Amino acid sequence: MREQGWLVEWDDARGFGFVVTHGGDQRVFVHVRQFAPGRARRPRQGDILVYEVKRGERGRLIADAVRFSSAAKRQARDTRRAHWGLAETVALLWGMGLIAMLLTDKIPWQVAAGYPLLSVVAWLVYQKDKRAAGSGRWRTPESTLQLLALLGGWPGAWLAQKYLRHKSSKTSFQITFWFMVALNLMGLFWLVPRLLAV
């Protein structure tokens, strides 16, 4: 069965690297000799490849009959291209709401500042975890990602899920994520009047 994945690591001088199948974390070894004849250029990190997975002599997974996927490459370019949607609209409205509440003294400035700060942190943590998934490095625990959402970084986390295409298709993660968002909002509307009353 043919697979499709990203070339996450490539050493052009030595002619080999690793590809990760879409939706998975399994790294598969790929050598330039495994590319189908007639390729137009050398592989580059970030290329989308179509290949067959086989077991090598030492038992490791090897990509064979590899070719570039021009259709998948166009699709990935379109996905990465910025387009306005629900996540951006909610993040913008939430930011405007925080500013309005801050200007009318309905929310402490520390709370209003915490959301954009934690959103940036959440984006960076998602980005680091996405890169770690592609290169086989130590991953960020899902509990850390969920904690960032609970503490107020959910707008940045939601945007990161969309633009980085990370954790966006894992159902169990998404259910927990939206539960954390709901808890954050309930906690905010419970806590803010008490902070202002002090």
Side-chain angles (χ1 to χ4, degrees), residues 11-193:
D11 184 336
D12 198 54
R14 299 168 72 184
F16 71 84
F18 293 91
V19 63
V20 172
T21 303
H22 289 315
D25 295 331
Q26 181 69 57
R27 285 160 53 94
V28 179
F29 179 81
V30 59
H31 194 278
V32 71
R33 288 193 306 261
Q34 264 70 48
F35 278 78
R39 60 182 167 78
R41 59 173 177 83
R42 299 279 292 183
R44 291 191 292 262
Q45 187 172 331
D47 280 336
I48 300 174
L49 306 176
V50 177
Y51 52 93
E52 293 176 9
V53 179
K54 297 186 176 178
R55 289 250 176 224
E57 294 176 4
R58 286 177 273 182
R60 74 172 168 179
L61 297 177
I62 296 175
D64 192 33
V66 184
R67 62 178 177 82
F68 296 112
S69 175
S70 56
K73 192 176 296 183
R74 283 194 302 273
Q75 181 183 9
R77 258 198 320 267
D78 293 342
T79 303
R80 286 194 298 266
R81 191 175 296 141
H83 59 282
W84 197 266
L86 182 60
E88 293 82 359
T89 303
V90 171
L92 177 63
L93 291 175
W94 182 247
M96 291 170 62
L98 287 173
I99 292 170
M101 288 188 287
L102 182 62
L103 293 175
T104 55
D105 294 325
K106 292 182 179 174
I107 191 170
W109 70 266
Q110 296 93 333
V111 174
Y115 278 92
L117 178 64
L118 284 167
S119 288
V120 170
V121 170
W123 177 284
L124 294 173
V125 172
Y126 270 75
Q127 187 176 53
K128 179 184 175 189
D129 190 51
K130 172 78 172 183
R131 289 178 179 162
S135 59
R137 295 193 311 269
W138 186 262
R139 300 287 303 277
T140 303
E142 286 189 356
S143 58
T144 302
L145 301 177
Q146 301 292 11
L147 180 62
L148 283 168
L150 177 63
L151 293 176
W154 59 265
W158 192 14
L159 291 170
Q161 290 170 21
K162 175 181 176 179
Y163 283 92
L164 303 176
R165 296 172 66 192
H166 189 52
K167 301 292 185 184
S168 57
S169 59
K170 188 174 180 181
T171 304
S172 60
F173 184 89
Q174 285 296 306
I175 291 170
T176 306
F177 173 76
W178 288 109
F179 182 66
M180 293 297 112
V181 173
L183 283 179
N184 172 263
L185 295 176
M186 287 188 294
L188 175 70
F189 291 114
W190 177 85
L191 180 64
V192 164

